[in-house]
Amino acid sequence: MGFEDLIPAPRKGRWVPPARGAFPLDEETVLRAEPGTEGVARWLRGTVGAATGLPFAEGRDDNGIVLRVDPELAPEAYRLVVDGHAIRVDGGSAAGVFWGAQTFRQLLGPDAFRRAPVDPARREWDVPMVVIEDAPRFRWRGLMLDVARHFLPKDGVLRYLDLMAAHKLNVLHFHLTDDQGWRIEIREYPRLTEVGAWRARTKFGHRASPLWEEKPHGGHYTQDDIREIVAYAAERHITVVPEIDVPGHSQAAIAAYPELGNTDVIDTTALSVWDDWGISPHVLAPTDNTLRFYEGVFEEVLELFPSRFIHVGGDECPKDQWRRSAVARARVKELGLAGEEGLQAWFIGHFDRWLTARGRRLIGWDEILEGGLAPGAAVSSWRGYAGGVTAARAGHDVVMCPEQHVYLDHRQDAGADEPVPIGYVRTLEDVFRFEPVPPELTPEEARHVLGTQANVWTEVMEDAARVDYQAFPRLAAFAEVAWSTLPAPPERDFAGFERRMTAHYRRLDALGVAYRPPTGPRPWQRRPGVLGRPIDGPPPNR
C-alpha cells in the first residue's frame, strides 16, 4: 500500500527514490515524542500498537518513529517522511502531528485498523518509503450527529469520534435536544432528562408510515458522560459543538416543564415527549421565565463544552401559537416588533448577546438570518446555498451543509431495496462532487466560509448499524471534499476515488463499519415495507 490509496487525498506525495521500498517496523522500533506530541504518541500506542502487537517503546533514537511540532508548518499541516533511516511525522501543531499519524496508520494497511493482531506470529510490518506533505482546505470539517431522534449510547458516540478522526474530520456538531428527546443532564432542571429523555413509542419510517414501535425509547448522557466525550474528542483534536434548540423543536422540554410553553393557548401539562416526526407546533413561550430557564441550561452547557461556538438551533419554528397567544402578542407590542415573525429573531438575539458576553459565539441554522443577526454570530446553511451566500455577504461566518447535497439521511440510490428512502438520491459520486464554496462569492466573501459539514438526522436510523449504512461510504467522500484541495466538481477524478475506496472498504471492514456496499444493500440492511419519503429528480442547486 502506498500513498496512492490514501483517503482523504493528500496535497503532495512521492516515493523516496531510487525504488519503491519499505521501512520495517518491529518490536525494536522505538517511538520518540518531542514536546507537545505526547498525546499523539499515546494514541499511536493505543491504536496502532494494539493492532500490530508492537510496543513502540519510548526511546531517544533517531531511527524509529519521531513525532515533532514544526512551527514553520501551518497549524493542521503535517509532513510525513518515511526513508531508510526513520519515520518522521512533523506537524504545525499537535493536531497536525495527529493527522500525520492518521496517514501513517493508513499506510500500514487495513489490519492496522483492528483492535488486536489477527496474526500474533507476525513480527514485522512494512511502511512504504514515501514523503507526504499535506494540509486541510477547510478548518471546519464537521459531522452533525442527531442523538435526539434516536439515542446513540455513549460508546457509539466515542466510536464515531474515532471514525471521524480516521477521516481527518475535526468538528462534532452534537444535536442534543429536540421534540422527540432531551439528551443532556442539566442539574438545575432534572425533569429535562427524567421526563424529556423518554418517549412512549416511536414512529417506524417516515411520518406518513402507519408503523409504530410500541416500546419506550430514550436515554441521556450524564454530565460525566459529556465530560468523557469532550475529553475523548479533544485527544483526537475534535471540537464538540453542542446544540440546544430554541425556540422551536422544544416539545420534550415543554413536556418536562409545561410553564415553558404557551400556556394561554393550550394545556401544556397534557403534552408528552413527541413520538412522531416532522415539525411540532409546540414552541417556547416568549417570556422572561423562558429566557431565565434557558440561561440556566446554557450556564451548565458552557461548563461542559469548551467549544467557542454554541449552536442554538433557531430553525423550523411555527408561529401559530404565538399568533393566538395574548402573552406573545403583548411581547411583540412591548418590543416594537413587526409581528410574531420577529419573536424568533428576538430569542436568537438575546442568546447571541448572552453568549458573546461570556466569550462564546452563537451559531444557528440559516433561519436565524431572518430579522437580522449580530456581527459575531455564525450560520449553518442547510436550506441550500442561499443562506450561506446571504450570511457571507453580510459579513457572517458560515458552515456549508446544504440539505440537497450532504444530508446523509437522504437515500443513496433509487433502487426499491434502499431502506426507508428519504429525499433526493445522493450517491457516493454526488457527495464527492459537492463544492462547499458557492461560485458567486467573491474571494473576500468566500473567506467567511469556515468549512463544511455532513448532517446525520436519525428519524429513520433506529440504531448504530443504520447510522453506519447512511453515513458510509459517503462520509469518506465528504471527508475528502472537506480536507483535500480538489479541482472543480466536473473535473474531479471519481474513477480514481473509487479505486482508492477499494482499499478503504477494507479499512472500514476492519473497523466494523456497516457501510452500504457499492453493489447495494445486504439483505439485513433493507427495510421492506417501511414507508419513506423519496423525492424524484435531481435536487435544486440553490
Side-chain angles (χ1 to χ4, degrees):
M1 223 170 256
F3 64 86
E4 300 97 335
D5 290 320
L6 296 174
I7 289 179
R11 290 196 176 186
K12 293 180 185 174
R14 60 181 173 82
W15 289 89
V16 172
R20 295 189 172 200
F23 184 92
L25 296 180
D26 58 28
E27 291 176 343
E28 304 301 315
T29 302
V30 296
L31 175 55
R32 174 175 157 190
E34 296 286 332
T37 69
E38 296 86 355
V40 183
R42 191 163 54 246
W43 177 85
L44 267 172
R45 290 190 179 101
T47 54
V48 177
T52 59
L54 301 180
F56 296 128
E58 190 174 337
R60 304 308 301 168
D61 294 352
D62 282 331
N63 61 349
I65 302 168
V66 182
L67 310 177
R68 186 174 69 101
V69 173
D70 180 355
E72 297 292 311
L73 295 172
E76 287 193 283
Y78 69 87
R79 180 176 53 246
L80 171 62
V81 179
V82 185
D83 57 22
H85 306 288
I87 298 165
R88 291 187 296 279
V89 186
D90 294 343
S93 66
V97 178
F98 183 71
W99 305 130
Q102 293 289 351
T103 297
F104 164 68
R105 187 189 191 187
Q106 286 198 21
L107 291 173
L108 283 169
D111 282 347
F113 288 80
R114 298 187 179 276
R115 295 194 183 187
V118 292
D119 180 5
R122 184 175 178 180
R123 292 286 180 264
E124 191 170 287
W125 292 66
D126 288 336
V127 191
M129 290 170 58
V130 294
V131 176
I132 294 168
E133 296 174 87
D134 201 7
R137 179 184 178 191
F138 294 110
R139 52 184 165 140
W140 185 300
R141 305 180 302 279
L143 174 71
M144 193 289 305
L145 192 56
D146 168 23
V147 296
R149 270 53 174 271
H150 277 100
F151 180 63
L152 189 64
K154 181 190 69 177
D155 282 355
V157 177
L158 300 178
R159 174 176 174 264
Y160 258 81
L161 289 166
D162 281 329
L163 292 173
M164 288 175 65
H167 292 83
K168 299 185 173 73
L169 299 173
N170 70 341
V171 178
L172 174 65
H173 173 171
F174 207 17
H175 184 81
L176 288 163
T177 73
D178 218 296
D179 300 307
Q180 297 86 359
W182 185 286
R183 305 291 176 222
I184 176 172
E185 176 193 12
I186 302 296
R187 293 188 304 266
E188 189 175 350
Y189 305 119
R191 285 176 60 84
L192 285 171
T193 46
E194 290 169 2
V195 173
W198 298 90
R199 58 179 180 262
R201 62 176 187 167
T202 297
K203 176 62 68 78
F204 192 19
H206 182 252
R207 58 181 174 271
S209 167
L211 303 175
W212 294 89
E213 187 172 38
E214 297 284 353
K215 69 176 184 182
H217 175 84
H220 73 275
Y221 310 105
T222 67
Q223 294 206 352
D224 279 347
D225 291 338
I226 294 290
R227 290 185 184 95
E228 180 183 357
I229 287 166
V230 168
Y232 196 84
E235 287 179 348
R236 287 146 185 80
H237 300 277
I238 295 170
T239 299
V240 184
V241 175
E243 179 178 351
I244 306 293
D245 259 307
V246 297
H249 287 293
S250 298
Q251 185 168 329
I254 298 167
Y257 290 92
E259 65 271 21
L260 296 174
N262 295 283
T263 56
D264 61 339
V265 176
I266 61 156
D267 177 11
T268 55
T269 63
L271 287 181
S272 58
V273 177
W274 206 23
D275 58 13
D276 209 343
W277 311 127
I279 302 171
S280 168
H282 304 297
V283 302
L284 297 175
T287 64
D288 289 340
N289 172 65
T290 301
L291 296 183
R292 299 293 90 76
F293 182 98
Y294 273 86
E295 286 171 1
V297 170
F298 279 115
E299 280 171 3
E300 296 191 29
V301 167
L302 297 194
E303 285 177 18
L304 295 167
F305 294 94
S307 165
R308 179 91 191 278
F309 287 97
I310 303 294
H311 208 291
V312 300
D315 63 318
E316 296 180 330
C317 180
K319 312 298 188 294
D320 180 62
Q321 289 185 0
W322 289 344
R323 292 188 189 99
R324 293 158 49 205
S325 165
V327 170
R329 289 197 305 273
R331 181 122 270 190
V332 166
K333 187 175 180 182
E334 171 200 335
L335 297 168
L337 302 176
E340 287 74 18
E341 298 294 328
L343 285 172
Q344 187 168 345
W346 169 76
F347 256 102
I348 300 304
H350 175 85
F351 286 104
D352 184 38
R353 292 185 295 275
W354 190 90
L355 288 167
T356 300
R358 287 153 182 80
R360 306 298 182 98
R361 287 183 66 186
L362 179 144
I363 185 168
W365 302 110
D366 54 54
E367 286 96 330
I368 69 173
L369 288 163
E370 298 160 11
L373 196 54
V379 170
S380 303
S381 184
W382 76 274
R383 296 179 298 176
Y385 285 100
V389 170
T390 301
R393 285 179 173 164
H396 296 291
D397 288 340
V398 60
V399 176
M400 296 303 300
C401 49
E403 171 186 22
Q404 303 90 332
H405 299 277
V406 289
Y407 268 36
L408 299 185
D409 54 325
H410 283 206
R411 59 195 172 132
Q412 305 183 63
D413 189 89
D417 284 337
E418 215 55 40
V420 199
I422 299 294
Y424 296 102
V425 172
R426 293 284 84 192
T427 64
L428 182 65
E429 182 172 1
D430 290 329
V431 175
F432 180 71
R433 296 194 191 280
F434 164 58
E435 173 48 51
V437 178
E440 59 265 45
L441 293 182
T442 67
E444 181 62 33
E445 291 164 347
R447 277 196 272 277
H448 284 292
V449 179
L450 296 176
T452 183
Q453 76 182 26
N455 293 345
V456 177
W457 299 106
T458 59
E459 287 94 334
V460 299
M461 301 182 213
E462 71 276 11
D463 55 31
R466 278 289 284 129
V467 174
D468 278 7
Y469 180 90
Q470 292 299 134
F472 288 98
R474 292 182 297 181
L475 195 63
F478 173 79
E480 183 143 321
V481 168
W483 176 277
S484 305
T485 303
L486 299 174
E491 297 157 25
R492 293 178 189 171
D493 180 10
F494 181 65
F497 179 76
E498 279 192 306
R499 179 191 55 73
R500 285 183 286 126
M501 279 302 299
T502 303
H504 200 65
Y505 284 122
R506 293 167 58 207
R507 297 180 193 122
L508 296 178
D509 286 333
L511 287 164
V513 176
Y515 58 83
R516 181 190 188 275
T519 52
R522 296 180 171 96
W524 57 89
Q525 293 173 322
R526 299 168 191 156
R527 296 290 184 273
V530 182
L531 196 65
R533 183 185 58 93
I535 305 174
D536 292 328
N541 207 32
R542 292 295 83 202

